[in-house]
């Protein structure tokens, strides 16, 4: 039998579920612990998924991802202005659009 044909054995320990009696004993112990009381209805209703509170807030004015080519001079200029250069570039384009709309 070659090394490649052997099946892989998981190194994780097997999960053993508690018996009904063990589960009841765990429940009773948890309920008798004053520091581990069940959440109230108000607490449960106030919960939000972790993804909803992580990261940057969602913008009301979502931007559209595009692929576009700019001249090296334009890119070099905006990049030389430091972090946030893409936002500044967008601002210049927005001002241009506003000026053209008048």
């Amino acid at each position: 039998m070659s090394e490649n044909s052997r099946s892989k054995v998981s190194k994780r320990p097997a999960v053993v579920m508690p018996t009904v009696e063990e589960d009841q004993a765990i429940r009773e112990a948890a309920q008798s612990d004053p520091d581990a009381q069940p959440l109230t209805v108000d607490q449960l209703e106030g919960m939000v998924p972790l993804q909803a509170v992580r990261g940057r807030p969602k913008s009301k004015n979502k931007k559209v991802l595009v692929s576009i080519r700019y001249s090296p001079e334009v890119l070099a200029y905006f990049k030389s202005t430091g972090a946030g250069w893409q936002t500044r570039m967008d601002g210049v384009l927005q001002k241009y659009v506003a000026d053209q709309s008048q």
Side-chain angles (χ1 to χ4, degrees):
M1 180 182 275
S2 72
E3 188 69 31
N4 291 338
S5 64
R6 291 184 184 170
S7 65
K8 304 225 179 205
V9 177
S10 175
K11 295 183 179 171
R12 290 188 196 172
V15 175
V16 179
M17 297 302 289
T19 64
V20 174
E21 294 79 19
E22 291 170 329
D23 190 54
Q24 184 61 33
I26 292 168
R27 256 181 228 279
E28 289 173 3
Q31 289 172 342
S32 68
D33 184 349
D35 294 328
Q37 292 302 303
L39 297 174
T40 65
V41 172
D42 289 340
Q43 290 171 321
L44 288 170
E45 288 176 355
M47 290 182 154
V48 294
L50 185 58
Q51 292 84 0
V53 293
R54 289 182 120 179
R56 178 181 288 181
K58 300 291 181 203
S59 174
K60 292 181 182 175
N61 301 320
K62 292 185 178 183
K63 295 181 179 172
V64 178
L65 178 64
V66 296
S67 176
I68 189 167
R69 296 174 187 260
Y70 288 107
S71 65
E73 300 82 15
V74 170
L75 278 182
Y77 170 78
F78 278 99
K79 285 183 175 183
S80 73
T81 63
W85 66 270
Q86 292 167 316
T87 301
R88 281 189 292 283
M89 185 181 244
D90 184 59
V92 168
L93 292 169
Q94 284 183 7
K95 183 177 180 329
Y96 177 83
V97 169
D99 291 347
Q100 297 302 309
S101 300
Q102 293 177 0

